[in-house]
Amino acid sequence: FILSTKEVVVHEDGRDAYVSVRLLSQPTQPVHISVLSSNKDEASVKPGMLSFNSKNWAQNQNLRVIPRDDRIDDGDKTLYLKITPENSKDPVFAKLPIKTIKVINKDNDQAGLVINPLKPNTSEAGEEGKIGIKLDSQPKSEVQLEFQISDKDEAKLLLRRIDFNELDWFQEKWVRVIGLDDEKIDGDQAYTVT
């Protein structure tokens, strides 16, 4: 049997790839070619089996290589499709060696923060500000974010640290800031949360 290519590239953003397969000679009995992915967490293939017979042996049949978006900033990944006719009823084809196709799954995730300044202003009367925060991609281990305020006379943080893990990284959590009365006639004052 022959493959249209030995390597394909797919992308986590959903761009898949196709490989065509056909036989080089007419079989005397049905030929079943099974296809397995070496890493289904990165990409799968459909269908998992192709069937050829004495009528369709010269016609191309397509395999669709489907990427999986793991939402982890882990770089491009390489895997292989194992293609074998070992379960064929035709003994000539059943003895043929396994062929492989190299698959590269291009990563589309980037580590970072999503910040939502829902209520960025506070007041000396004790009005509270809220800043929503979540991660851009799934971490491999726990992520601890620590916060500081630039002017402790103007406001204080109600929470100095937020933790994220591989289960809650996409859930927005809140940094809460409360305004303080500095007992000065100094007008509106700007400060930052970092």
Side-chain angles (χ1 to χ4, degrees):
F1 64 101
I2 188 169
L3 308 174
S4 60
T5 184
K6 292 183 178 180
E7 181 176 324
V8 295
V9 177
V10 294
H11 300 257
E12 284 191 357
D13 62 12
R15 287 178 278 170
D16 48 18
Y18 291 85
V19 178
S20 62
V21 183
R22 67 178 173 85
L23 303 187
L24 291 173
S25 61
Q26 183 175 334
T28 57
Q29 296 183 62
V31 174
H32 303 295
I33 296 178
S34 62
V35 188
L36 295 171
S37 169
S38 66
N39 187 345
K40 292 180 181 177
D41 290 336
E42 290 293 332
S44 61
V45 62
K46 289 184 179 180
M49 181 173 289
L50 301 175
S51 295
F52 294 92
N53 54 43
S54 58
K55 293 181 181 179
N56 73 351
W57 67 273
Q59 297 171 3
N60 282 323
Q61 293 191 38
N62 287 327
L63 297 171
R64 181 183 175 200
V65 185
I66 305 164
R68 182 173 180 271
D69 189 354
D70 55 17
R71 305 300 303 267
I72 301 171
D73 182 10
D74 57 356
D76 300 343
K77 294 294 183 180
T78 299
L79 59 142
Y80 295 88
L81 300 181
K82 173 185 164 185
I83 302 173
T84 175
E86 63 188 0
N87 295 322
S88 299
K89 293 183 179 179
D90 188 311
V92 173
F93 286 89
K95 293 177 184 176
L96 291 176
I98 294 169
K99 291 188 178 185
T100 59
I101 296 175
K102 181 180 179 180
V103 178
I104 299 171
N105 187 13
K106 293 281 191 178
D107 192 25
N108 70 341
D109 300 301
Q110 188 173 357
L113 302 175
V114 178
I115 298 173
N116 174 18
L118 180 68
K119 192 173 177 296
N121 297 323
T122 58
S123 74
E124 290 190 352
E127 187 178 358
E128 186 179 303
K130 282 186 178 181
I131 302 166
I133 193 163
K134 62 183 178 179
L135 303 185
D136 251 344
S137 62
Q138 182 179 338
K140 295 179 181 177
S141 59
E142 186 174 76
V143 174
Q144 297 178 347
L145 302 177
E146 294 189 5
F147 303 96
Q148 295 180 353
I149 202 152
S150 63
D151 189 340
K152 295 178 182 176
D153 291 333
E154 293 295 335
K156 71 174 181 178
L157 292 163
L158 297 180
L159 191 65
R160 293 191 176 276
R161 192 179 94 181
I162 293 178
D163 297 337
F164 290 97
N165 58 44
E166 60 273 9
L167 300 176
D168 68 358
W169 63 272
F170 57 91
Q171 296 173 346
E172 195 167 55
K173 297 184 181 183
W174 298 100
V175 178
R176 296 169 57 207
V177 185
I178 191 165
L180 299 176
D181 187 353
D182 59 9
E183 298 181 356
K184 297 176 186 175
I185 304 173
D186 55 2
D188 294 344
Q189 295 293 310
Y191 59 87
T192 57
V193 176
T194 54

